[in-house]
Amino acid sequence: MPTIFLSHNYQDKPVVEPVALELMRIYGQDSVFYDDWSIKPGDSIIGKMNEGLAAPDFFFFFVTENSL
């Protein structure tokens, strides 16, 4: 199973979330790093992001006006 990291600006969730949900449907939630389900309350945000960035097979960087 591939691991996929989705990087985005929080303002772009309406665009990114459908992509995340479709990838989750295909590959399973554990294969997709998406902040809404990969970072839980009380988790270290930096620590969880570092885990997700450790060695993904695919990195999706959503470049929008909000992210620049």
Side-chain angles (χ1 to χ4, degrees), residues 18-59:
V19 174
L21 291 171
E22 184 64 14
L23 290 169
M24 179 182 72
R25 186 187 70 73
I26 296 168
Y27 298 107
Q29 185 170 327
D30 291 341
S31 294
V32 181
F33 185 97
Y34 179 59
D35 62 341
D36 276 4
W37 62 66
S38 298
I39 303 173
K40 306 283 188 251
D43 284 347
S44 164
I45 294 171
I46 302 295
K48 283 294 190 176
M49 289 186 70
N50 284 338
E51 283 178 30
L53 288 167
D57 295 305
F58 299 97
F59 184 91

